[in-house]
């Protein structure tokens, strides 16, 4: 048989997965080794790792603690006992080597095509299959299409006038050179002060001749408290792993510690300060879990915000710089609070200048540097720490078209419309791991990833048992989930900030809260309820026709039940 002929017959798979980070690796393992299905993973990078393959900027590390920023006992109890983390918050190289180890241990690479980008995924109504095309001109078909593309993978490079005229070097933190960048003796402009810049700026300042940090919005950055893990830490964690993972699945943010059941104003000022100080000392996101109304009540939130501003004033010597670094335009935790290790102290260095681009916006990038409304900063290097087109940007780049050629981007023109953040009507057999309107970025990601992958795995198993090969969200279920999502959002302070959580960083992007704010543990129970009630809100069938299904609103009903139980317990 000649090659010319085989090239024209697309390979057929049960499932195609896009992406080989945490989500794609676990999904492949479940499809292939749990369900016995044929699967192909496409990955744009040259290795596994996803986020941790691309983001190699100085200081890149996780901000969930290492020992629960990993696969759980759902993947392997042995792996948990074998793998030992060297730091409390692992740095990028260690996380990447962990994911490589997982890929090797489960022999996953043989089903992954690296250096290959999906450019189109089209549903064929006649055959009930997806045709997936890649940038090398190849195409394959599959019954199921599963996106494992991550929430933060399409970089956002603002369209500053003159951007391409700059004579020096410029880098986006999300696509950092693998060989690293030497800043020794260089003048550097860092644009942006989100989670990435907070990690990168202290490291760059150690090398560079001068660093200009261009800040539009000050952030509430929490002390990370990173430190090496010793043998005793490892022993204690490994002895308690079962309980640790159980807790992560039940809590609001997917951490093994939950939000305290008390309101901020129910205790005295002294007591509240003591509680905040203790959480601050322990480091990580614990500060956000000290009281249960920080995201619900403005006065409560302000107590935490002022606590954080006081920490900034203690650590930054120049009072004007400290004030500029102190947020006053949005409530605490309505933007993602970065964890910092030495960020604020960096502004005490002679070679670091904070530039307020809220007051004097960036006008243009010039051949010599960055010009704001007030001054031109001549630099050798520009670092764009300008974030991502989160949640939907990468999904739109895949060229996904559902029934009747409907494009996902057209369908979601005014914002995402999903059922559970997992599926969307008109796109049969498409599953989105940590898609918009699921907890995703409001959680410790591996916990939410595992929950989605396991739910999809169970769903595919049940379909096969029932003799179906097609599943699709019903329009009524989708409408109900979107309105439930919006109602939950409206009870919080989250819409009050211009954050990437609401798409505010991308010009023209519909303003919506993209992640679901109902909590990781609660959301899991809603998904379980949908499955237990015979996939309420989904239609199933054969060969592309999804005819059999009903919607009785069990997810919302379960949410109301849980809310009532919680209210009763609190009183």
């Amino acid at each position: 048989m000649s090659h010319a002929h085989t090239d024209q017959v697309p390979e057929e798979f049960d499932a195609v997965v896009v992406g080989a980070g945490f989500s794609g690796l676990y999904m492949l393992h479940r499809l292939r080794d749990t369900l016995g299905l044929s699967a192909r993973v496409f990955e744009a990078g040259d290795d596994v790792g996803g986020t941790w393959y691309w983001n190699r900027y100085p200081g890149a590390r996780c901000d969930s603690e290492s020992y629960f920023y990993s696969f759980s006992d759902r993947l392997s109890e042995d792996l948990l006992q074998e793998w030992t983390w060297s730091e409390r918050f692992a740095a990028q190289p260690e996380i990447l080597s962990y994911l490589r180890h997982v890929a090797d241990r489960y022999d996953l690479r043989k089903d992954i095509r690296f250096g290959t980008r999906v450019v189109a995924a089209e549903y064929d109504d006649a055959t009930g299959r997806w045709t997936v095309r890649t940038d090398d001109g190849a195409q394959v078909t599959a019954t199921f299409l599963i996106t494992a593309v991550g929430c933060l993978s399409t970089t956002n490079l603002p369209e500053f006038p003159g951007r391409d005229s700059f004579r020096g070097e410029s880098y986006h933190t999300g696509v950092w050179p693998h060989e690293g960048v030497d800043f020794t003796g260089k003048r550097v402009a860092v644009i942006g002060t989100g989670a990435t810049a907070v990690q990168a700026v202290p490291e760059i300042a150690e090398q560079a001749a001068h660093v200009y940090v261009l800040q539009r919005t000050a952030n509430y950055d929490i002390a990370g408290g990173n430190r090496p893990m010793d043998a005793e830490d490892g022993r204690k964690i490994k002895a308690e792993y079962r309980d640790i993972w159980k807790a992560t699945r039940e809590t609001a943010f997917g951490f093994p510690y939950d939000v305290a059941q008390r309101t901020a104003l129910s205790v005295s000022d002294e007591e509240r300060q003591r509680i905040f100080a203790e959480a601050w000392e322990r480091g990580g996101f614990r500060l956000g879990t000290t009281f249960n109304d920080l995201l619900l009540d403005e006065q409560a939130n302000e107590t935490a915000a002022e606590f954080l501003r006081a920490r900034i004033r203690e650590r930054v010597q120049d009072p004007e710089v400290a004030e500029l670094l102190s947020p006053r335009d949005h409530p605490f935790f309505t933007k993602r609070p970065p964890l910092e290790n030495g960020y604020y102290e960096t502004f005490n260095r002679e070679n670091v200048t904070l530039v307020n681009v809220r007051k004097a916006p960036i006008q243009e990038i010039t051949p010599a540097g960055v010009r704001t409304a007030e001054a031109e900063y001549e630099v050798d290097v520009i670092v764009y720490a300008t974030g991502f087109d989160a949640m939907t940007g990468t999904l739109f780049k895949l060229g996904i078209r559902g029934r009747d050629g409907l494009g996902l981007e057209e369908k979601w023109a005014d914002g995402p419309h999903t059922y559970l953040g997992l599926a969307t009507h008109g796109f049969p057999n498409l599953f989105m791991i940590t898609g918009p309107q699921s907890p995703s970025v409001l959680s410790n990601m591996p916990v939410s990833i595992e929950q989605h992958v396991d739910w999809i795995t169970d769903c595919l198993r049940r379909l096969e048992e029932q003799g179906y090969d097609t599943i699709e969200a019903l329009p009524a279920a989708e409408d109900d989930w979107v309105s439930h999502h919006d109602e939950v959002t409206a009870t919080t302070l989250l819409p009050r900030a211009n954050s990437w959580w609401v798409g505010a960083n991308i010009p023209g992007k519909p303003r919506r809260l993209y992640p679901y704010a109902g909590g990781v543990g609660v959301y899991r129970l809603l998904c379980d309820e949908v499955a237990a009630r015979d996939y309420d809100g989904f239609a199933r069938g054969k060969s592309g026709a999804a005819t059999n299904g009903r919607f009785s609103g069990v997810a919302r009903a379960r949410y109301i039940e849980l809310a009532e139980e919680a209210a009763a317990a609190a009183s």
Side-chain angles (χ1 to χ4, degrees):
M1 198 179 191
S2 77
H3 271 298
H5 180 61
T6 54
D7 284 351
Q8 280 143 25
V9 180
E11 279 188 272
E12 296 188 359
F13 296 95
D14 294 317
V16 161
V17 178
V18 187
F22 269 99
S23 306
L25 293 176
Y26 188 48
M27 192 75 245
L28 171 59
H29 169 62
R30 282 274 179 250
L31 289 166
R32 198 188 70 187
D33 304 332
T34 304
L35 298 175
L37 299 178
S38 63
R40 162 69 50 86
V41 177
F42 291 112
E43 167 54 58
D46 290 326
D47 197 357
V48 301
T51 292
W52 302 104
Y53 172 85
W54 298 106
N55 287 270
R56 298 172 186 239
Y57 59 84
R61 63 179 67 250
C62 59
D63 51 16
S64 295
E65 291 175 55
S66 314
Y67 68 90
F68 55 85
Y69 190 82
S70 63
F71 292 113
S72 78
D73 49 3
R74 295 283 305 148
L75 176 64
S76 164
E77 297 206 9
D78 291 347
L79 180 61
L80 289 172
Q81 296 302 323
E82 282 162 32
W83 186 271
T84 303
W85 294 99
S86 72
E87 288 186 280
R88 188 175 169 199
F89 295 92
Q92 176 267 335
E94 189 170 8
I95 301 171
L96 183 57
S97 71
Y98 169 76
L99 291 169
R100 285 174 170 157
H101 175 70
V102 169
D104 293 339
R105 186 189 169 116
Y106 294 97
D107 194 18
L108 299 175
R109 291 173 195 275
K110 66 181 182 203
D111 294 303
I112 305 173
R113 292 294 169 273
F114 294 107
T116 310
R117 211 172 265 284
V118 170
V119 294
E122 290 163 357
Y123 184 76
D124 182 339
D125 291 278
T127 61
R129 290 178 71 79
W130 287 92
T131 299
V132 179
R133 290 206 310 275
T134 50
D135 57 358
D136 55 5
Q139 56 180 37
V140 302
T141 72
T143 309
F144 301 100
L145 174 64
I146 302 169
T147 61
V149 293
C151 301
L152 296 171
S153 45
T154 291
T155 51
N156 167 41
L157 195 54
E159 296 288 339
F160 294 121
R163 197 181 68 202
D164 300 333
S165 72
F166 180 58
R167 284 194 303 259
E169 308 156 50
S170 53
Y171 305 98
H172 190 290
T173 50
V175 281
W176 202 255
H178 287 194
E179 63 280 4
V181 177
D182 185 3
F183 293 102
T184 307
K186 295 189 170 162
R187 299 163 302 169
V188 184
V190 178
I191 300 177
T193 52
T196 297
V198 163
Q199 294 181 335
V201 164
E203 307 258 341
I204 294 172
E206 295 272 324
Q207 288 186 350
H210 202 93
V211 182
Y212 298 98
V213 180
L214 281 64
Q215 171 186 278
R216 188 172 57 183
T217 309
N219 259 318
Y220 297 98
D221 304 333
I222 302 175
N226 188 37
R227 60 175 173 75
M229 298 273 267
D230 59 30
E232 179 54 27
D233 292 323
R235 200 190 54 70
K236 192 166 176 300
I237 288 161
K238 288 176 183 186
E240 293 170 8
Y241 249 143
R242 191 164 289 190
D243 294 339
I244 288 169
W245 286 118
K246 185 176 182 299
T248 62
R249 296 186 188 114
E250 292 170 0
T251 57
F253 294 109
F255 300 137
Y257 47 86
D258 206 2
V259 180
Q261 289 309 307
R262 60 184 171 211
T263 59
L265 303 176
S266 65
V267 300
S268 68
D269 290 354
E270 294 77 31
E271 173 71 354
R272 191 167 51 247
Q273 287 300 315
R274 189 190 63 69
I275 290 167
F276 283 149
E278 189 209 15
W280 175 266
E281 282 307 313
R282 293 182 71 186
F285 287 124
R286 284 184 173 81
L287 194 74
T289 63
T290 46
F291 298 99
N292 62 7
D293 60 343
L294 296 182
L295 270 178
L296 308 175
D297 180 287
E298 216 165 329
Q299 265 184 295
N301 189 287
E302 181 54 28
T303 64
E306 184 44 45
F307 173 84
L308 282 159
R309 291 192 286 259
R311 300 290 77 71
I312 297 169
R313 291 193 290 271
E314 283 168 8
R315 295 163 69 192
V316 179
Q317 289 154 11
D318 181 330
E320 280 177 38
V321 175
E323 180 51 38
L324 195 49
L325 287 166
S326 299
R328 302 202 179 262
D329 62 348
H330 64 281
F332 166 57
F333 229 115
T334 57
K335 290 178 98 125
R336 188 171 179 291
L339 299 190
E340 57 81 29
N341 292 287
Y343 178 69
Y344 290 118
E345 286 79 0
T346 302
F347 292 95
N348 299 330
R349 296 174 66 108
E350 298 279 294
N351 69 329
V352 178
T353 305
L354 184 63
V355 179
N356 181 354
V357 295
R358 167 70 50 88
K359 187 165 69 113
I362 294 172
Q363 306 278 300
E364 62 173 339
I365 306 295
T366 67
V370 183
R371 191 172 67 75
T372 72
E374 282 181 356
E376 180 169 355
Y377 299 90
E378 290 195 10
V379 293
D380 308 299
V381 184
I382 299 176
V383 173
Y384 292 97
T386 45
F388 300 87
D389 183 352
M391 308 293 286
T392 54
T394 309
L395 290 173
F396 291 162
K397 281 168 71 173
L398 300 178
I400 298 174
R401 295 195 167 277
R403 289 194 192 279
D404 307 320
L406 175 67
L408 187 65
E409 198 163 359
E410 293 164 59
K411 175 167 178 182
W412 290 1
D414 63 347
H417 293 266
T418 75
Y419 184 33
L420 304 172
L422 267 162
T424 183
H425 174 70
F427 296 78
N429 292 352
L430 167 67
F431 294 102
M432 298 168 286
I433 301 173
T434 66
Q437 298 169 342
S438 78
S440 61
V441 293
L442 287 180
S443 76
N444 172 27
M445 288 303 304
V447 175
S448 286
I449 286 166
E450 283 192 342
Q451 184 255 332
H452 265 186
V453 170
D454 288 342
W455 192 94
I456 293 165
T457 303
D458 292 341
C459 176
L460 297 185
R461 183 190 284 125
R462 288 278 295 282
L463 281 179
E464 192 178 25
E465 286 167 1
Q466 295 169 339
Y468 297 131
D469 63 9
T470 306
I471 183 163
E472 182 177 359
L474 290 164
E478 183 170 295
D479 292 346
D480 188 61
W481 182 253
V482 173
S483 82
H484 167 69
H485 169 89
D486 291 346
E487 285 163 24
V488 173
T489 301
T491 65
T492 74
L493 302 173
L494 289 166
R496 297 278 300 277
N498 290 318
S499 67
W500 59 258
W501 284 345
V502 298
N505 61 326
I506 305 294
K509 186 166 176 173
R511 190 185 173 109
R512 293 269 183 288
L513 184 68
Y514 284 76
Y516 174 65
V520 170
V522 166
Y523 172 81
R524 174 187 301 273
L525 295 174
L526 307 189
C527 290
D528 289 352
E529 187 75 10
V530 165
R533 303 288 195 93
D534 208 26
Y535 293 90
D536 184 62
F538 286 96
R540 287 159 301 177
K542 282 191 77 66
S543 320
T547 47
N548 180 4
R550 60 191 181 83
F551 172 62
S552 52
V554 303
R556 182 191 285 267
R558 186 79 180 101
Y559 180 87
I560 292 166
E561 240 173 68
L562 292 165
E564 285 167 356
E565 285 169 25
S571 63

